[in-house]
Amino acid sequence: MGKVTGFLEIEREEARYEPASDRIRHFGEFIIPMSEGRVADQAARCMDCGIPFCHGDTGCPVHNQIPDWNDLVYNGDWEEASRNLHSTNNFPEFTGRICPAPCEEACTLNLEDTPVAIKTVEQAIADKAIRNGWVKPATPEASTGKKVAVVGAGPAGMAAAQQLARAGHEVHLYEREPKAGGLLRYGIPDFKMEKDHIDFRVSQMEAEGVTFHYGANIGVTHKLSYLKRDHDAVLLTGGAEKPRPVDVEGLDYHGVHFAMPFLVQQNRRVGGEDVSDQFQLTAAGKHVVVVGGGDTASDCVGTSFRQGAIAVTQLDVRPMPPELENKLTNWPNWAVKMRTSSSQAEGAIREFSAGTMKIVGNAKGQVTGVECARVDRKRVAIPGSEFIIKADLVLLAIGFAGPVQEGMLTELGADYDKRGNLFADTISYRTTVPKVYAAGDMRRGQSLVVWAIREGRQAARSIDLDLMGKTALPR
């Protein structure tokens, strides 16, 4: 695949970023696209490695045929590369922007720390396909007469709805928010992915026959039982929104917030939604402490800088990871190693092995700092290592505990798994309630967008098979 000696002749190259001093002044995307010739050079580096770990479960949950479309780009057939890419991934412009690219970790060339720039090539293919009008609505030849409800218009729900509509079913997609996208729209900042990409896919799906119902909070404003009555199948893809509990003193001080309300409000502002009736969460002119070491914490860091924070400190209870992993014990799996996000590179102070002991404040009830301590590998505080970080705003970004059970899931009455997620297996995606299926974070817990797309596609196939007795939809 690619150029036979490409990996020997061509150095790995990724798209560059705007300088941090420029990009923190706006909320738009800041990647400087590479020329098509340079992208083709990167595709040419894809070697004939024998066993392409990049597109197995280890590398790519949707099983993108990465060597194939790298070869097509190298040979100049971008349109066929787009068809190949879309055959496994409904929304490659999403994953090309925000997927952490486990495929590159699994690349054979990563044994030399120079993997093929797969994510860069993927985004370039998707963007060129949309720009050139190659991505068109795919309408079914005939209607099946079956009606399916999908609850939750995040990536899992959107992928499932699109697949089901293309199979000929009448699909209704119910969304609590005013617009589709789920955490893609309301959780992930625009500087990582602008929302016109979602709007494009919504328009495509509407042309394919999907009906979107916004402001429909199933289990609150609309009864789930009505959906079950009026549809032949119901797929739940509502995500995992319940915050992980925090056992820290001082959570009631003014200025202490969970990450998602902070991110969601800013995304609503950028999207032109009215947030004037909400308490205004802003980092402007403040010392910000972000508790957590994951992607959501990183998004809080980047958002804080763009809002005008004086300083941003990120606390990670984990020890500082090594610069490079041990390939013999890690590859081709995702490795624990030092990673610096674009947001962290904008000036964040990162504290590792930092346990949050308590949040401190003044007599007026305003937060003034976070008391921390160094912790050992068992995350036990080391006596005498305590220190306080000044804070006017504390954002808790320590993950999610599973789906919100009050409302829709309480009404459903289905079984949960041992982690509190809605139970369904990965073959049928059926819950323990007849006609009701589950996919995405609501089923598997907090995860990646690419896993949501995979589960949405697979659940759609299972539903189509159950309704029709056969299916042509891919797994």
Side-chain angles (χ1 to χ4, degrees):
M1 295 297 174
K3 186 177 182 181
V4 175
T5 57
F7 70 99
L8 296 172
E9 301 172 12
I10 303 168
E11 296 291 327
R12 171 182 164 88
E13 184 182 5
E14 297 178 276
R16 295 183 296 111
Y17 296 159
E18 291 179 9
S21 58
D22 293 338
R23 67 182 189 247
I24 63 171
R25 299 177 186 276
H26 63 82
F27 279 90
E29 293 181 13
F30 51 79
I31 292 178
I32 302 171
M34 294 169 58
S35 68
E36 290 185 8
R38 288 164 60 205
V39 173
D41 283 344
Q42 292 306 301
R45 297 185 66 245
C46 189
M47 60 191 291
D48 188 6
C49 59
I51 302 177
F53 290 97
C54 60
H55 62 62
D57 274 358
T58 297
C60 182
V62 294
H63 295 185
N64 280 337
Q65 299 169 105
I66 295 164
D68 298 77
W69 42 257
N70 272 327
D71 185 60
L72 289 164
V73 168
Y74 165 61
N75 285 292
D77 195 346
W78 287 76
E79 189 169 2
E80 181 60 29
S82 169
R83 281 192 287 268
N84 187 303
L85 177 56
H86 279 88
S87 72
T88 58
N89 187 349
N90 296 65
F91 314 121
E93 70 278 15
F94 297 175
T95 51
R97 284 171 166 80
I98 60 176
C99 183
C103 52
E104 295 188 15
E105 294 287 323
C107 177
T108 301
L109 288 177
N110 193 40
L111 290 168
E112 296 293 329
D113 299 309
T114 57
V116 175
I118 299 168
K119 183 176 175 179
T120 297
V121 178
E122 178 182 28
Q123 180 180 338
I125 295 171
D127 288 353
K128 183 177 175 67
I130 293 171
R131 189 168 58 246
N132 287 6
W134 299 337
V135 180
K136 296 181 174 66
T139 54
E141 295 181 0
S143 171
T144 65
K146 301 294 185 180
K147 188 176 179 182
V148 182
V150 180
V151 180
M158 289 179 65
Q162 185 168 60
Q163 293 295 95
L164 288 164
R166 290 174 174 179
H169 304 303
E170 179 184 342
V171 181
H172 293 263
L173 185 45
Y174 295 86
E175 170 56 43
R176 178 189 63 199
E177 299 294 341
K179 298 179 182 178
L183 286 183
L184 284 173
R185 182 180 297 275
Y186 292 106
I188 293 174
D190 280 59
F191 57 79
K192 290 176 68 174
M193 190 182 83
E194 294 175 359
K195 305 312 182 248
D196 58 339
H197 305 298
I198 303 173
D199 297 336
F200 171 81
R201 291 298 179 175
V202 169
S203 298
Q204 179 194 27
M205 291 170 63
E206 288 176 334
E208 292 172 341
V210 177
T211 301
F212 287 80
H213 302 267
Y214 299 114
N217 192 351
I218 306 303
V220 179
T221 62
H222 297 65
K223 283 187 174 295
L224 179 61
S225 58
Y226 294 166
L227 264 63
K228 291 169 58 183
R229 180 195 65 192
D230 297 337
H231 298 80
D232 297 291
V234 177
L235 173 61
L236 306 182
T237 58
E241 298 180 302
K242 185 178 180 180
R244 197 176 301 280
V246 182
D247 186 18
V248 174
E249 181 185 342
L251 294 178
D252 54 348
Y253 282 118
H254 297 301
V256 181
H257 304 276
F258 281 104
M260 290 315 301
F262 173 74
L263 294 174
V264 168
Q265 188 180 91
Q266 182 57 45
N267 282 351
R268 292 190 192 279
R269 288 193 193 102
V270 175
E273 295 185 30
D274 185 10
V275 295
S276 60
D277 61 337
Q278 301 177 14
F279 177 78
Q280 298 300 296
L281 299 175
T282 178
K286 296 177 181 177
H287 290 81
V288 181
V289 173
V290 180
V291 181
D295 290 338
T296 301
S298 176
D299 293 344
C300 288
V301 169
T303 300
S304 295
F305 280 128
R306 283 159 179 75
Q307 289 183 347
I310 295 173
V312 182
T313 302
Q314 184 179 352
L315 305 179
D316 195 332
V317 73
R318 299 169 297 183
M320 180 181 289
E323 286 294 327
L324 295 174
E325 73 274 28
N326 183 335
K327 304 294 185 183
L328 295 179
T329 60
N330 288 107
W331 182 84
N333 297 305
W334 184 262
V336 175
K337 63 182 178 182
M338 190 65 176
R339 304 174 193 272
T340 301
S341 71
S342 58
S343 292
Q344 291 163 340
E346 290 163 1
I349 302 166
R350 302 175 70 183
E351 295 280 357
F352 291 96
S353 297
T356 302
M357 300 295 102
K358 67 177 181 179
I359 298 170
V360 296
N362 58 26
K364 296 181 180 180
Q366 174 65 39
V367 64
T368 58
V370 178
E371 182 177 314
C372 306
R374 297 300 174 194
V375 297
D376 59 24
R377 291 191 174 271
K378 294 183 179 180
R379 301 187 179 181
V380 176
I382 300 171
S385 66
E386 296 83 2
F387 60 100
I388 293 179
I389 299 174
K390 181 179 179 180
D392 308 303
L393 175 65
V394 177
L395 299 172
L396 305 172
I398 59 173
F400 302 92
V404 175
Q405 297 184 4
E406 296 77 18
M408 180 177 70
L409 297 189
T410 299
E411 181 187 349
L412 176 65
D415 291 348
Y416 299 95
D417 66 17
K418 61 183 180 181
R419 296 184 299 153
N421 301 314
L422 188 57
F423 173 78
D425 64 66
T426 56
I427 301 298
S428 71
Y429 287 88
R430 300 186 196 102
T431 68
T432 53
V433 173
K435 291 177 52 175
V436 180
Y437 302 74
D441 288 4
M442 179 165 275
R443 190 208 67 81
R444 69 178 285 115
Q446 180 183 357
S447 191
L448 303 176
V449 168
V450 67
W451 273 104
I453 294 172
R454 167 182 168 147
E455 294 216 349
R457 287 170 61 89
Q458 291 188 337
R461 185 184 191 278
S462 176
I463 292 170
D464 187 41
L465 180 61
D466 285 350
L467 293 180
M468 306 304 297
K470 60 181 181 179
T471 182
L473 292 177
R475 275 190 60 83

